[in-house]
Amino acid sequence: MQRRRTTDDPHCSLVGQDGRGTHYSSLSEEAIEIPQPNDAALDQKSTANVFSDSCTRIDFVLVWETIPWDLSRQQDSHENRGLQERSATIHRTWRNNFLDKLYAAGIHMEKHVTRMEKKVVHYLLLSAPWSVLCYYVEELQLRVPLQALPRQTSNWSASMLRWLGIPNLMAQEVPNLPLDYYTCPFKANKLRWFLGSSEQDTFFSTTRWHQILYEILAATQYGHSREREVGVDWLLSENVFTATFPLHKTRHHRSPREHPTTGPTPRASPLPTPCLFPQGSYKVRPEELAASSLSQRQVLFRWASWGKWSKYQPLDHVRKYFGEKVAFYFAWLGFYTGWLLPAAVVGTVMFITGIFLMFNDVPLQEICTSKEQYWMRPLCKTCPYWQLSKICSTFMAGQLFDHGGTIFFSIFMSLWAVLFLEFWKRTSISLAHHWDCSEFEDTKERLRPQFTAMAPMTIINPITGAEEPYFPKHSRLHWILAGSVVIIMMIAMVVMFMVSAILYRAVVAILLSSSGYFWFVALASCIASITGLVVNLIFILILSKIYISLAHFLTKWEMHRTQTKYEDAFTFKVFVFQFVTFYSSPIYIAFFKGKFVGYPGNYLSFLGIHHEECSPGRCFIELAQELLVIMVGKQIINNVQEVAIPKVKCWWHKHKLLSTKKAGKEGESVLVEQAPWVMDHQLLVFEGLFDEYLEIVLQFSFITIFVVACPLAPLFALLNNWVEIRLDAHKFICDYRRPVAEWAQGIGIWFSILEAITHPAVISKAFLIAFISDFLPHVYYKYVHDSSLCGYVNFTLAYALWDFVLQSNTTCRYRAFRDQDGNLTLTQLLAIRLGFIIVFEHVVFFIGCVIVWLVLDIPESMEVKVKRERYLAKEALAENKVLLERQETRSKASVTDPATGSDWETKQFTRS
């Protein structure tokens, strides 16, 4: 049932919204002001991720910058100063409103200030207390441990090698390996039944603390919700805050200080437990070589080293430190890299087979020994005739890829793609259950704050039964259709630029060939191609920047309900654009270039310009060269950029923060540089996984769609991915700020994109074999004319028309099956080609469907575990076993009036 939403709608979950805010008991007290800690006290704790009380853990850091009044008066004119003052006043008001509501919601805070020569940097440390954490964990229905269970081998290769009795060279001893548990949704009033509930500091993982606090930050208002003045992300985009991030965790030890741990409210429990002191560097020092003394970040740093390239990934550590979304990325990338190994082996065997077949290839020998026997038609109106024997080396290179094994390798790669996706689906479901996120998108994912604030109606959720904000489908459909029109227009512009580049190359080649200068005539085609690529690249880069900004705007405009749907919609928009951009060149070479040229005496043209032809060595060779450039050159450039650009950016960011002199004493300067929030602020901002996924998905597309033209593509992809895993791991651990841990149920829409790619890939391979490769003409000639292929070259060459011969006074040949009157011959071969396409795709699709039917999505062992978890949850949460009464985890707390709120620019405070 739908109903219109009013301004006092109770079904809004925004933190701090007047009349319906959410507040917590332990944080409703007045702020406790503390004096500025002295240098000695701060220096002792400057490397610890805790407040100055040595106990309260830091869950999040908010950063903003201000310019001192005297400096702003000296630098700017009166008019600019007035504008800056008004902007600063608005930002200060928004910031104070935001922080007041965070304070009223019960968040512990402590502020530190770094004074520099030209600006003041404010660091606000945030911590969520136990009661807030319990409330949100129960609200989000997160699962917590009930009972530990023995770890099971998660790698099929490890199980197989152990069964065969073969030493596993990929195995490694990973210290502090997280345990596996039976879990169930958290209930605060059943706390005692959960495993480890007496240890508040370790009961919930660090990533859970970060996630909960970010949920609060994202849902906290600083203005009117109808104006989208909600959440820290909007404040970051408006430069009210310059950064927000959780701290990296390093080596830890326990403090002798103790604090209460049991019960939903820490202050009410008499049982003590020690605090944690994370400190030190992620690099392992000699005294920390013992595995038990390593932190999670140090364990992951060891995994990121180049010496671990052949070892299994510690995915549980990655998930525990970075969250499920990052862990799924590395799990998928590692799984894909492992599956590339058989494809690379078979592709390499096909390449080596081509080398041996090349020496006994009769058509190749005929071409190389023809000398002046075959004079070929000019490639353009002003180009000279050329001898077929001149392409001996190029044709020889093409035979490495175009031989009898091509059809086998095409079928193998088609079935490989189906098997890979089916087994990844199985692995993904197992990992989602193992990481307690298998039901995240259906029942646990929160609504986007912007959606909640702007929705005009409410509706009953058919799954949860709760009333929630709702956008009518017809209004969203209008926005989606409008966005689709914009996307189609942008894609059409890309196609127009591609056609323009083709025409540009043809015109420039003609002009240079007719210029009369020797070097211009000799290098006409090369100069035209290079300059055309540069011009096309500039246009594509400009369009890409515009399109990505448009995609962000359109996706926000569509008002998607959850963050997962928002990211899926954005990913689809950008991938379609990038697909057209990256694939336009190989698709043009494979299926269009040289197909509409005509023949001597009847050349076709477009806008008066002769159609572009393939090089003398056929389009198959050009396609192979294109793939080699993409799979080798482009990947090397990308990897160099992934190494160099983060290092340069990180150096420049640190230079900007540390180049100016700090005000104050020399000891304070040392303190600032040692503080963990300052050190993490110097790192780069994590910008998401879209670019990482896009690079690998495009790679998967190339090796499935065009692998016929380059059997070595899987090998180059395998080598690249071994490097990619190390580079990405190093960036996440060393160069980036710690990202906010995000839940995920898999790799999202990327899996649907991969599935969608496999279907046109089969059809593409069928067309490439039928019309680009010489495989079918070879077979036809063997069975109809001569099984030894003698005379095959002459069989594939047609004579120019009589009129053309009389006009040019020269007899020439060209590749086609036509008579000297220009009529098509060998319709039987055309029928064979079309029949091959139909048979090939039907056979591959049928075998693929059988594979899908045979491979179970859910392993039997996981079904047993699910049933066991349900039984334990029923036993643990049964009402007749409850010995503790339900304790309230939240209570009302008055919202600080913005008019009388605190001045967060100057105040120094904490909560204990």
Side-chain angles (χ1 to χ4, degrees):
M1 182 183 68
Q2 301 176 13
R3 68 179 181 88
R4 186 163 298 280
R5 198 164 157 201
T6 60
T7 55
D8 56 348
D9 196 327
H11 302 286
C12 184
S13 61
L14 300 179
V15 175
Q17 194 164 8
D18 295 340
R20 52 186 182 273
T22 302
H23 311 291
Y24 310 97
S25 59
S26 65
L27 298 175
S28 59
E29 305 169 1
E30 293 296 322
I32 302 174
E33 297 190 22
I34 64 171
Q36 175 72 33
N38 57 49
D39 295 348
L42 278 176
D43 188 56
Q44 186 178 1
K45 311 177 188 69
S46 61
T47 59
N49 292 2
V50 291
F51 282 16
S52 57
D53 63 0
S54 303
C55 187
T56 305
R57 64 193 298 166
I58 301 172
D59 296 326
F60 236 83
V61 180
L62 290 176
V63 184
W64 70 92
E65 299 175 357
T66 57
I67 300 176
W69 172 257
D70 53 347
L71 187 60
S72 63
R73 293 185 61 184
Q74 295 174 6
Q75 290 181 344
D76 299 325
S77 63
H78 179 74
E79 182 179 356
N80 291 338
R81 188 165 63 249
L83 292 174
Q84 287 189 357
E85 288 177 1
R86 285 192 293 272
S87 177
T89 301
I90 294 173
H91 286 186
R92 189 181 302 110
T93 302
W94 285 350
R95 186 161 51 239
N96 286 341
N97 290 343
F98 184 78
L99 298 180
D100 283 338
K101 291 183 178 178
L102 280 182
Y103 182 75
I107 303 303
H108 295 176
M109 303 180 181
E110 181 175 284
K111 187 158 76 73
H112 296 262
V113 177
T114 301
R115 302 184 184 277
M116 297 185 178
E117 186 178 10
K118 296 182 179 180
K119 61 184 176 181
V120 178
V121 183
H122 304 260
Y123 296 94
L124 187 65
L125 315 181
L126 306 178
S127 178
W130 174 256
S131 58
V132 174
L133 195 67
C134 289
Y135 171 81
Y136 268 94
V137 171
E138 184 170 353
E139 180 76 10
L140 295 172
Q141 302 180 30
L142 301 184
R143 303 176 72 90
V144 291
L146 278 174
Q147 177 183 326
L149 68 153
R151 288 198 56 84
Q152 300 176 357
T153 302
S154 58
N155 295 289
W156 64 268
S157 57
S159 302
M160 180 179 294
L161 291 174
R162 185 171 60 251
W163 181 72
L164 294 174
I166 300 174
N168 189 356
L169 301 178
M170 295 177 288
Q172 63 172 328
E173 291 294 331
V174 180
N176 307 323
L177 195 65
L179 297 176
D180 197 6
Y181 301 99
Y182 292 118
T183 61
C184 76
F186 175 76
K187 296 289 183 182
N189 64 334
K190 312 290 174 60
L191 181 63
R192 61 170 296 181
W193 298 107
F194 296 112
L195 191 65
S197 59
S198 60
E199 295 283 341
Q200 286 187 5
D201 281 321
T202 57
F203 182 60
F204 299 117
S205 65
T206 306
T207 53
R208 291 290 176 259
W209 291 76
H210 298 166
Q211 288 171 310
I212 296 304
L213 194 43
Y214 184 76
E215 285 279 340
I216 299 173
L217 294 175
T220 299
Q221 285 184 261
Y222 60 91
H224 302 289
S225 62
R226 296 300 173 184
E227 298 177 5
R228 303 189 184 186
E229 295 177 351
V230 179
V232 71
D233 291 332
W234 195 267
L235 292 173
L236 286 169
S237 65
E238 295 291 332
N239 292 322
V240 178
F241 294 109
T242 57
T244 174
F245 52 88
L247 293 178
H248 274 293
K249 188 176 181 181
T250 52
R251 182 177 58 88
H252 65 272
H253 62 81
R254 293 187 174 269
S255 164
R257 178 171 176 170
E258 300 173 343
H259 67 85
T261 59
T262 59
T265 307
R267 300 176 187 176
S269 174
L271 298 178
T273 189
C275 299
L276 295 178
F277 267 71
Q279 61 181 7
S281 171
Y282 58 83
K283 295 183 179 179
V284 181
R285 291 176 288 191
E287 63 270 19
E288 298 172 341
L289 290 178
S292 59
S293 65
L294 297 179
S295 69
Q296 290 177 8
R297 194 182 183 193
Q298 289 173 325
V299 172
L300 293 176
F301 179 73
R302 291 175 60 180
W303 157 62
S305 63
W306 293 100
K308 303 294 183 180
W309 66 271
S310 62
K311 304 298 182 181
Y312 294 131
Q313 299 185 94
L315 294 177
D316 287 333
H317 278 287
V318 177
R319 178 246 180 175
K320 191 173 181 180
Y321 192 76
F322 291 113
E324 287 78 9
K325 179 171 284 189
V326 175
F328 265 114
Y329 166 71
F330 280 105
W332 173 76
L333 181 56
F335 187 85
Y336 169 56
T337 304
W339 271 75
L340 278 174
L341 185 59
V345 171
V346 176
T348 305
V349 170
M350 291 297 102
F351 178 76
I352 295 173
T353 302
I355 295 176
F356 286 103
L357 293 177
M358 179 182 63
F359 295 107
N360 298 319
D361 189 74
V362 175
L364 176 61
Q365 294 174 0
E366 288 183 352
I367 291 175
C368 294
T369 59
S370 62
K371 296 183 180 179
E372 298 182 2
Q373 181 179 356
Y374 302 112
W375 285 92
M376 307 300 291
R377 69 175 180 184
L379 297 177
C380 63
K381 289 184 179 180
T382 58
C383 296
Y385 295 92
W386 53 279
Q387 298 174 15
L388 185 62
S389 59
K390 298 295 184 182
I391 67 167
C392 176
S393 58
T394 306
F395 194 84
M396 184 184 300
Q399 295 305 104
L400 296 175
F401 309 130
D402 187 9
H403 53 79
T406 302
I407 185 171
F408 164 76
F409 189 57
S410 301
I411 296 175
F412 172 83
M413 288 302 298
S414 299
L415 300 180
W416 171 88
V418 174
L419 280 169
F420 161 68
L421 292 178
E422 284 303 310
F423 276 96
W424 166 249
K425 185 194 299 183
R426 178 185 174 98
T427 303
S428 177
I429 293 174
S430 299
L431 287 175
H433 182 266
H434 175 58
W435 292 336
D436 296 324
C437 54
S438 57
E439 301 176 352
F440 166 68
E441 294 180 10
D442 294 331
T443 60
K444 298 179 183 179
E445 188 168 15
R446 307 274 283 186
L447 302 181
R448 296 180 65 239
Q450 293 81 0
F451 179 90
T452 301
M454 300 295 293
M457 307 178 69
T458 60
I459 192 174
I460 300 298
N461 187 311
I463 298 176
T464 62
E467 192 171 1
E468 62 182 31
Y470 174 74
F471 266 93
K473 290 184 178 179
H474 61 85
S475 61
R476 293 190 63 245
L477 182 61
H478 295 161
W479 300 334
I480 293 174
L481 289 177
S484 300
V485 171
V486 175
I487 293 172
I488 293 172
M489 290 176 58
M490 294 295 294
I491 292 174
M493 291 181 66
V494 173
V495 176
M496 289 172 56
F497 281 123
M498 184 189 72
V499 174
S500 301
I502 295 171
L503 296 176
Y504 169 85
R505 289 199 297 267
V507 171
V508 171
I510 293 173
L511 293 176
L512 293 177
S513 298
S514 58
S515 63
Y517 294 99
F518 174 77
W519 288 109
F520 282 173
V521 173
L523 301 175
S525 178
C526 183
I527 295 174
S529 298
I530 293 175
T531 56
L533 287 174
V534 172
V535 172
N536 190 47
L537 178 62
I538 293 173
F539 279 119
I540 291 299
L541 290 176
I542 295 173
L543 280 179
S544 180
K545 294 292 184 183
I546 297 173
Y547 183 83
I548 290 176
S549 300
L550 271 176
H552 274 295
F553 173 77
L554 293 173
T555 310
K556 291 178 182 178
W557 192 32
E558 292 168 359
M559 277 297 161
H560 291 280
R561 178 175 171 271
T562 62
Q563 186 65 23
T564 298
K565 291 183 177 179
Y566 173 88
E567 292 177 357
D568 288 350
F570 173 77
T571 298
F572 177 76
K573 290 182 181 67
V574 179
F575 178 79
V576 169
F577 178 83
Q578 298 288 357
F579 181 91
V580 175
T581 301
F582 280 91
Y583 286 72
S584 58
S585 179
I587 288 176
Y588 167 71
I589 294 173
F591 302 112
F592 298 101
K593 188 175 182 180
K595 304 299 185 296
F596 308 101
V597 176
Y599 48 89
N602 187 25
Y603 285 113
L604 303 178
S605 61
F606 178 72
L607 298 178
I609 300 175
H610 184 66
H611 281 285
E612 192 175 24
E613 292 197 51
C614 295
S615 63
R618 297 181 301 151
C619 290
F620 195 87
I621 305 300
E622 285 195 39
L623 182 60
Q625 292 172 346
E626 181 82 7
L627 289 178
L628 285 173
V629 169
I630 292 171
M631 300 303 298
V632 180
K634 187 174 180 296
Q635 289 187 154
I636 290 175
I637 293 174
N638 286 342
N639 288 331
V640 171
Q641 289 177 342
E642 288 198 39
V643 173
I645 292 179
K647 296 298 182 184
V648 173
K649 285 184 176 180
C650 200
W651 172 84
W652 178 247
H653 190 58
K654 290 181 180 180
H655 176 74
K656 288 195 301 183
L657 291 175
L658 300 177
S659 60
T660 56
K661 292 191 301 182
K662 281 81 174 178
K665 302 177 183 179
E666 182 180 355
E668 292 179 356
S669 175
V670 175
L671 163 65
V672 170
E673 293 182 7
Q674 290 181 348
W677 46 88
V678 177
M679 295 174 64
D680 282 11
H681 187 215
Q682 296 169 7
L683 301 178
L684 300 179
V685 178
F686 173 69
E687 297 179 349
L689 292 166
F690 175 82
D691 291 334
E692 314 297 338
Y693 272 116
L694 179 64
E695 178 185 352
I696 305 302
V697 170
L698 288 175
Q699 177 199 96
F700 174 84
S701 306
F702 279 118
I703 69 172
T704 52
I705 296 177
F706 301 109
V707 73
V708 174
C710 185
L712 290 178
L715 175 62
F716 296 131
L718 175 66
L719 298 175
N720 173 80
N721 290 359
W722 273 333
V723 177
E724 184 75 22
I725 293 176
R726 307 270 75 77
L727 294 180
D728 288 345
H730 190 272
K731 286 191 303 185
F732 275 86
I733 297 165
C734 306
D735 297 332
Y736 287 158
R737 296 171 190 163
R738 187 174 183 178
V740 180
E742 296 182 63
W743 289 284
Q745 198 169 325
I747 62 175
I749 198 175
W750 292 110
F751 181 78
S752 300
I753 292 173
L754 293 172
E755 281 190 317
I757 289 171
T758 58
H759 299 295
V762 174
I763 299 174
S764 170
K765 285 192 278 285
F767 272 90
L768 286 173
I769 295 174
F771 290 99
I772 308 300
S773 171
D774 277 343
F775 173 74
L776 291 181
H778 277 190
V779 174
Y780 176 81
Y781 189 83
K782 276 185 178 180
Y783 285 97
V784 175
H785 295 280
D786 190 341
S787 60
S788 65
L789 290 179
C790 292
Y792 174 78
V793 174
N794 185 65
F795 168 74
T796 59
L797 298 179
Y799 286 92
L801 296 183
W802 292 111
D803 296 340
F804 183 84
V805 172
L806 293 175
Q807 182 181 359
S808 60
N809 215 9
T810 305
T811 301
C812 64
R813 311 288 293 271
Y814 64 99
R815 284 182 61 89
F817 295 103
R818 293 180 182 270
D819 58 23
Q820 206 155 359
D821 294 325
N823 300 318
L824 287 173
T825 60
L826 293 180
T827 54
Q828 293 178 347
L829 181 58
L830 178 61
I832 291 173
R833 283 172 165 167
L834 296 177
F836 171 82
I837 293 173
I838 296 173
V839 172
F840 181 89
E841 63 171 299
H842 277 70
V843 169
V844 172
F845 283 141
F846 174 76
I847 299 175
C849 290
V850 173
I851 291 173
V852 172
W853 178 68
L854 290 176
V855 178
L856 299 177
D857 291 344
I858 303 177
E860 183 179 353
S861 59
M862 198 184 84
E863 292 182 349
V864 174
K865 184 183 176 185
V866 170
K867 294 177 181 178
R868 174 66 176 169
E869 279 187 338
R870 290 174 180 171
Y871 171 78
L872 291 175
K874 181 179 178 181
E875 291 293 314
L877 303 182
E879 291 297 330
N880 59 359
K881 289 190 176 183
V882 176
L883 301 178
L884 300 176
E885 297 180 355
R886 177 179 292 274
Q887 300 181 3
E888 293 293 329
T889 59
R890 52 177 178 163
S891 64
K892 296 181 180 180
S894 58
V895 180
T896 304
D897 187 359
T900 60
S902 303
D903 185 0
W904 300 91
E905 310 294 334
T906 59
K907 191 168 184 177
Q908 182 72 29
F909 61 93
T910 188
R911 302 299 301 256
S912 59

